[in-house]
Amino acid sequence: MTYTTGAAEDYLKTIYSHTEWQSDLITPSALAVRLGVAPSSVTEMVKKLAASGLITHVPYGPLALTDAGRLRATAVVRRHRLIETWLVGEMGYDWDQVHDEAEILEHSISDRLLEAINARLGFPAHDPHGDPIPAADGSVVREPSALLAEAAVGHAGVVLRISDRDPAVLRELAADLIGPGTAFTLAAPLTIVLADGQSRLITPAAAASIWVTA
């Protein structure tokens, strides 16, 4: 029997998200920190998910999704990101306010309502933070990207995605009119020049949260 409670879906989504923009697999201890639960809770859930064929795991080793686990994870991610897009586009939320709301709603709305939201929004490809919205079949289209904090001075590109983990960073960037689609040149470490010639000094936390075209 496949184990897909709301809690199990949160685990799968977190495992998926951890490797979405970098390649290192997540460890059980890191998963416990990300979810804010006790290591013993992670141990029990990992056993259930592995027994259901949703993850692969060896004792004390990192966690990886199976094909079935990835399909389930992308379904939850799809719900989450469509809901975030709906809250910003239709309900007047700011992009730093939607994550927690989507965490609740993603487990409760029907597939029919989700697809109605998708159609209402015009079948968006990305959420407000620039994260790609998986298709219903689990496929994801993602552009080659680089972390701004690791880009060389002189790099010219476009902002693709901004992590939503820190709402304060999102508010800071919104105030500076920086978001997905913003064209820029990295003039110096932590200094970018926008297409209109204006310079922006960004914090190290912001630079570590922004993915740009490679």
Side-chain angles (χ1 to χ4, degrees):
M1 178 181 294
T2 301
Y3 193 72
T4 55
T5 65
E9 289 178 341
D10 286 340
Y11 275 73
L12 295 172
K13 182 179 66 176
T14 303
I15 294 169
Y16 171 86
S17 298
H18 182 80
T19 55
E20 188 174 13
W21 295 92
Q22 57 85 44
S23 59
D24 293 335
L25 297 177
I26 195 168
T27 63
S29 59
L31 183 58
V33 172
R34 284 285 300 274
L35 291 170
V37 299
S40 58
S41 298
V42 170
T43 299
E44 290 303 311
M45 181 62 80
V46 164
K47 290 178 181 178
K48 292 174 181 177
L49 295 175
S52 294
L54 298 173
I55 64 170
T56 60
H57 171 58
V58 295
Y60 309 108
L63 310 172
L65 296 171
T66 63
D67 289 344
R70 179 180 175 80
L71 185 61
R72 189 61 206 149
T74 54
V76 182
V77 169
R78 172 179 168 81
R79 284 172 163 264
H80 184 95
R81 292 176 181 172
L82 278 172
I83 291 168
E84 287 190 331
T85 307
W86 173 64
L87 289 173
V88 169
E90 298 283 334
M91 304 303 292
Y93 280 67
D94 292 329
W95 69 340
D96 60 295
Q97 301 173 326
V98 295
H99 179 77
D100 290 344
E101 293 279 7
E103 287 284 299
I104 297 170
L105 292 171
E106 68 191 29
H107 300 300
S108 59
I109 68 170
S110 67
D111 291 340
R112 180 179 179 183
L113 177 55
L114 185 74
E115 294 313 316
I117 289 172
N118 190 28
R120 169 76 177 180
L121 295 172
F123 307 100
H126 299 86
D127 75 5
H129 312 104
D131 283 309
I133 298 173
D137 65 1
S139 60
V140 180
V141 177
R142 187 180 300 108
E143 293 186 52
S145 62
L147 194 61
L148 182 59
E150 298 172 356
V153 171
H155 182 88
V158 175
V159 174
L160 292 176
R161 178 250 183 183
I162 299 172
S163 171
D164 63 356
R165 191 174 300 181
D166 188 344
V169 168
L170 293 175
R171 290 191 291 270
E172 167 195 327
L173 293 173
D176 281 337
L177 303 179
I178 298 171
T182 299
F184 73 95
T185 300
L186 186 62
L190 304 181
T191 301
I192 64 174
V193 178
L194 305 182
D196 62 3
Q198 296 189 53
S199 296
R200 295 285 190 272
L201 181 64
I202 60 176
T203 63
S209 300
I210 300 173
W211 275 257
V212 301
T213 49

